[in-house]
Amino acid sequence: MRSDEAGRVPVAIIGGGFSGTMTALHLARRGVRSVVIDGSGRAGRGVAYATTDPAHLLNVPAAKMSAWPDQPDHFVHWSGLGGGEFAERRAFGRYLSDQLAASEVKVAEAIATGAERTADGWRVSLDDGRQVSAQGLVLAQGNQPPAPLPVAERLPHELYIANPWSEAAREAIERAAERDSDVLIIGTGLTMVDTVLSLAEAGHSGRITALSRRGLVPRAHAHAAAPPAPVELGELPLGSVRKLARWLRRRSAEVGFRPAVDALRPHSHAIWQSFNGVEEQRFIRHARPWWDIHRHRLAPQVAEQLKSLIADGRLQVMAGRLVSLGADDGEVQALIRRRRGSEVERRFGLAVNCTGPLGEIAQTRDALLAGLLARGEVRADRFGIGLEVDERDRAGERLWALGPLTKGRYWEITAVPDIRGQAAAAAEDIAAEIGAR
C-alpha cells in the first residue's frame, strides 16, 4: 500500500507471516480485498522463514508443506524437491513470497500500533502516521519474542541475546564465531538447534552448553519413512492424559513412535478439546516436554550434525537450571544447578535465550495487542498463553485471530499443515460476514 493509495479496505490483517499471508491469499481467492500490515521487512515469510542461513531446514518433509490444502503437491512442484526431502527454510520463505507477489494483496510496510472500533469496523494506526480503515480485522502476529529472563536482567547486551530471532542475535553469533567464545544456550528445543546450526555455519569452534530443566532434545525423523499407521478418533482414549500416554506407548511398541505420533496429528485438536481443566494442566506440566520432542522432529541430517557436535565435545546438553547469571571481566558467569546433582560454575562469552516464544499474552510487547487487551476488546484464553476465540476463530465482533495466538484453543497450531486449514476456514467465514468488495 503506497502512501497515495486509499487507506480503506474490507479486511486489515496484522502480521505478514504464514498465518496472515495465507489468510490474505484465501480472501483474494474469494474476491475479498485485504491489506497485510507488516513492518518487519519480511512480509510473506515471517520470523520462521525469513532466515538466510542455509543450515536451517524445515522439520517437515516437502510433501507436507504445500501452502494450499487443495493442492498437496504445490510446494514439491515449486521447489523441484522429492517429497521426502527437507527444504531449506529460506527456500520456503521464497515460496510464500512468490505466492504473495503473484496475488493482488496489498502490503503496508509499517508497524500497526493500535486498533480502534468505528461505526462500521476498525481503524488501524500505523507507526508512519497513516491509518487504515477496514470492516474486519485479523490478528496474525504469530509467535512473539521470548519473555525476559529475570536471571539475565543485569547482563549487558553484548553478552546476552534476549531474542534469538533478531538481527542482534545474528551479529552476536558472528562475533562469537570470530572469537570462538564458549556459548550458553538457555533451552534445548528447536530454537536451540537453530542457534547451534548458525554457530557451526559461522565457523564457531568453541564449546556450546545447552541447558534446560530436563535436558530433552527433539528427536529425528527417520532416514526412510516408516509406513503410516493411521487411527480413527474413536480408537483413542479421549479425556485423559494418562490413558492417552499408555495408548501411545503401546502403539509405539507395535508400529514405532514416529508413525504412532503422526497418527495423532489429524486428531490433535479434538484430543486437546476433550481434556477438562485438570487434564489440560496435567498435559502442560508433565506431558508437554515429551510430546514436543517426539512430535516436532528434526531433519535427519540436522540430527546427525548435532550428534557429531556432541561426540566431538563441542556441544553439551545439560539438565538443570540457572541459579544466577552475572557479568565478570567481559564474560558471563553462570551458576548452574544440575538436575539431581550439584552446582557448577561456568564462564561463557555469550548467553542466548532459547526458551521459546512468549508464553503469557499479558506480557506482550506488541502495542496493538496490548491495547486491545487493556480495553477488553480481546481476552486472554484460560491459560493466558493466547487469545480466546470461538469455533470460527473469532476473538470479537468482526475480529479474527489465527495461528499461534489461538493455541489455547487448539494447542497444535504452529505448523503449516495446521495453519493452512485454519486460514482457509477463517477466510470463508470472513467472506461470508463481509462479502466480496
Side-chain angles (χ1 to χ4, degrees), residues 110-348:
I111 296 172
T113 58
E116 297 180 353
R117 285 195 181 275
T118 62
D120 58 351
W122 293 88
R123 182 172 57 249
V124 181
S125 299
L126 310 184
D127 66 344
D128 60 7
R130 289 180 292 165
Q131 292 186 330
V132 175
S133 296
Q135 292 173 273
L137 180 65
V138 177
L139 306 177
Q141 287 95 324
N143 283 316
Q144 298 181 61
L149 290 179
V151 73
E153 61 185 7
R154 295 183 181 178
L155 287 180
H157 70 273
E158 65 269 18
L159 296 180
Y160 174 66
I161 297 301
N163 179 2
W165 307 307
S166 64
E167 179 64 20
R170 187 187 65 78
E171 295 171 356
I173 284 171
E174 291 178 356
R175 289 197 303 271
E178 289 173 1
R179 302 168 184 171
D180 282 330
S181 305
D182 287 355
V183 176
L184 172 65
I185 299 178
I186 307 160
T188 58
L190 293 173
T191 310
M192 175 277 288
V193 174
D194 279 353
T195 302
V196 169
L197 294 177
S198 293
L199 284 163
E201 187 75 13
H204 178 264
S205 59
R207 292 187 304 167
I208 305 169
T209 299
L211 174 72
S212 70
R213 181 181 170 190
R214 294 177 177 85
L216 298 175
V217 176
R219 303 300 194 251
H221 285 281
H223 285 278
V231 296
E232 297 296 327
L233 181 62
E235 300 176 59
L236 301 176
L238 302 178
S240 169
V241 173
R242 288 193 178 99
K243 289 180 180 178
L244 185 64
R246 286 196 292 268
W247 180 93
L248 191 53
R249 283 193 291 268
R250 287 195 303 269
R251 187 66 173 167
S252 296
E254 294 168 357
V255 302
F257 87 81
R258 296 176 181 89
V261 170
D262 291 345
L264 297 182
R265 280 205 63 173
H267 311 303
S268 61
H269 295 172
I271 292 169
W272 175 248
Q273 290 166 9
S274 76
F275 295 153
N276 61 24
V278 173
E279 293 299 315
E280 288 168 338
Q281 293 297 335
R282 180 172 287 124
F283 178 87
I284 292 171
R285 287 197 307 270
H286 303 297
R288 175 186 177 182
W290 301 96
W291 171 256
D292 284 350
I293 64 170
H294 289 89
R295 162 71 175 84
H296 303 289
R297 302 193 290 272
L298 304 175
Q301 55 267 52
V302 170
E304 288 297 326
Q305 188 172 355
L306 289 185
K307 183 178 178 181
S308 177
L309 289 170
I310 291 171
D312 292 344
R314 292 173 56 195
L315 172 63
Q316 178 187 15
V317 178
M318 262 180 140
R321 68 177 185 86
L322 281 172
V323 177
S324 65
L325 282 178
D328 180 61
D329 196 24
E331 291 187 310
V332 177
Q333 187 169 347
L335 181 61
I336 301 169
R337 179 170 294 131
R338 293 178 181 270
R339 188 173 174 88
R340 302 187 183 91
S342 58
E343 291 184 353
V344 293
E345 201 170 274
R346 298 276 296 275
R347 299 177 73 89
F348 303 93

